[in-house]
């Protein structure tokens, strides 16, 4: 069974600093990986996804993530944090051959931006 | 273009009651999935419907049921409500059956409180 671990339920960075949100997956086969963002009282918005085309994936709002099979990781980064990046971030996995059983999400990381 | 819409936005019920949540997918999308997000957790997959048939089911009791209509909209029903059913219920749509990397687009959710 696949699972997702997001290290750090809360991450605090200063405005303008590097953002690094960690995600590790457990899957028997290389999965498809997603990062979603959730602003307060809203649904989930797709930031980016990995589908094996390229290991470095660029998304919206300046975010990118790198798939590292050897480390079973898919960490999310942004070079310079902005106040508007404050939100909840979720990593999710869809396993190759997993059928129609939806996405498996991590517990989320709350990103706090200090002025 | 309109995104995924859900109604109602908020709902308060008492234990033992029944509730129906509604979802309209993005125009042209034929698949709808339902997720439950308990406070402080990531979303958990409940159902996926495609072309009016259930195609995937998560680990939820039979009190949870759903259906999809010819216009691809969907309803989620929960019977005999328990306090633990209090959560944000998210609907997601995709062009086709959401397997293996197909992007799912989420609505704003329905927040259900069971007293």
């Amino acid at each position: 069974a696949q699972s997702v671990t997001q290290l750090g339920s809360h991450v605090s960075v200063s405005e303008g600093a590097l953002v690094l949100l960690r995600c590790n997956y457990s899957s028997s086969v290389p999965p498809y990986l997603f990062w979603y963002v959730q602003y307060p009282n809203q649904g989930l918005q797709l930031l980016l996804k990995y589908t094996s085309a390229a290991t470095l994936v660029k998304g919206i709002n300046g975010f990118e993530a790198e798939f590292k099979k050897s480390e079973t990781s898919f960490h999310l980064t942004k070079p310079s944090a902005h106040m508007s990046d404050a939100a909840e971030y979720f990593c999710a996995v869809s396993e190759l051959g997993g059928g129609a059983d939806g996405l498996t999400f991590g517990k989320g990381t709350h990103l706090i931006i200090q002025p | 273009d309109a995104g995924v819409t859900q109604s109602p936005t908020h709902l308060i019920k008492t234990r033992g009651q029944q509730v129906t949540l509604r979802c309209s997918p993005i125009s042209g999308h034929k698949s709808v999935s339902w997720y439950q997000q308990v406070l402080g957790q990531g979303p958990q997959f409940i159902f996926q419907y495609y072309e009016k048939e259930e195609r995937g089911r998560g680990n939820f009791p039979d009190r949870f049921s759903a259906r999809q209509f010819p216009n691809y909209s969907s309803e989620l029903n929960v019977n005999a409500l328990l306090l633990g059913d209090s959560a944000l219920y998210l609907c997601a749509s995709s062009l086709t059956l959401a397997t293996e990397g197909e992007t799912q687009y989420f609505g704003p959710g329905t927040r259900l409180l069971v007293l």
Side-chain angles (χ1 to χ4, degrees):
Chain A
Q2 57 196 3
S3 65
V4 176
T5 302
Q6 292 185 240
L7 296 175
S9 59
H10 292 77
V11 170
S12 180
V13 302
S14 299
E15 190 175 16
L18 172 71
V19 174
L20 171 61
L21 304 182
R22 300 177 187 274
C23 172
N24 288 88
Y25 66 91
S26 171
S27 175
S28 57
V29 295
Y32 296 97
L33 293 154
F34 304 77
W35 275 100
Y36 282 87
V37 61
Q38 186 176 36
Y39 297 100
N41 300 313
Q42 294 188 28
L44 303 174
Q45 180 182 8
L46 179 69
L47 282 175
L48 50 80
K49 71 175 184 180
Y50 167 76
T51 57
S52 76
T55 56
L56 183 62
V57 182
K58 294 187 182 299
I60 62 171
N61 302 338
F63 285 94
E64 63 181 37
E66 185 173 8
F67 173 71
K68 292 187 176 180
K69 183 179 177 181
S70 61
E71 299 177 6
T72 60
S73 69
F74 190 57
H75 301 332
L76 181 71
T77 60
K78 182 175 181 178
S80 178
H82 192 271
M83 295 299 291
S84 62
D85 295 327
E88 193 81 17
Y89 291 79
F90 293 96
C91 181
V93 62
S94 173
E95 188 169 331
L96 181 66
D101 284 348
L103 297 169
T104 299
F105 284 86
K107 292 185 176 182
T109 297
H110 185 64
L111 178 61
I112 301 163
I113 310 297
Q114 304 281 3
Chain B
D1 289 341
V4 177
T5 59
Q6 294 184 242
S7 63
T9 56
H10 294 80
L11 206 51
I12 300 175
K13 293 285 188 178
T14 57
R15 282 178 295 175
Q17 285 189 311
Q18 175 265 341
V19 68
T20 298
L21 311 181
R22 295 175 176 81
C23 171
S24 292
I26 292 170
S27 178
H29 285 197
K30 297 183 178 181
S31 178
V32 169
S33 297
W34 288 94
Y35 291 80
Q36 180 195 64
Q37 186 180 15
V38 174
L39 194 63
Q41 301 292 320
Q44 190 171 359
F45 173 73
I46 309 175
F47 287 113
Q48 179 170 190
Y49 274 76
Y50 176 65
E51 293 287 10
K52 295 172 288 182
E53 291 187 4
E54 180 184 308
R55 301 298 293 270
R57 185 183 184 108
N59 188 24
F60 279 80
D62 292 342
R63 298 185 297 107
F64 288 77
S65 63
R67 55 180 176 170
Q68 187 177 32
F69 299 98
N71 66 354
Y72 303 109
S73 66
S74 177
E75 286 183 351
L76 175 70
N77 296 285
V78 187
N79 294 321
L81 285 167
L82 303 173
L83 295 179
D85 295 331
S86 296
L88 180 68
Y89 288 86
L90 294 164
C91 173
S93 76
S94 54
L95 276 169
T96 62
L97 185 64
T99 62
E100 305 180 5
E102 180 75 19
T103 298
Q104 295 185 44
Y105 298 87
F106 285 80
T110 293
R111 189 165 297 281
L112 172 64
L113 177 61
V114 182
L115 300 176

